[in-house]
Every structure is written in C-alpha cells, then in structure tokens.
Amino acid sequence: MTHRYEGRTDTKRDGIAGIAFKDPEAEPAALKAIIRLTA
C-alpha cells in the first residue's frame, strides 16, 4: 500500500498489516523477528 505522510511530498510503501519498513528489502527478516517476539 502506498501513502503519503502529512507534511511530506514523498510517497511511502507500507508492508504487511500497515507496518512501514525503512528498508523494504529487510521486511521478511523483520517480520520473522516480530513473530518470534510475540509468539
């Protein structure tokens, strides 16, 4: 999902479940870590 934060001109892309990742390439590893922490 792409969106624009208020006051910014650049477009951002949200990851799964509305979580925005600074580095989209790291998204799979970050999601695995989040799942491990919450399980």
Side-chain angles (χ1 to χ4, degrees):
M1 171 181 196
T2 58
H3 64 93
R4 190 172 295 142
Y5 287 109
E6 185 177 337
R8 295 185 70 153
T9 57
D10 56 328
T11 302
K12 297 289 183 182
R13 183 178 82 76
D14 273 357
I16 297 172
I19 300 170
F21 292 89
K22 286 185 178 182
D23 181 5
E25 298 295 321
E27 185 175 335
L31 289 173
K32 287 178 186 176
I34 291 168
I35 291 167
R36 272 195 304 263
L37 290 172
T38 59

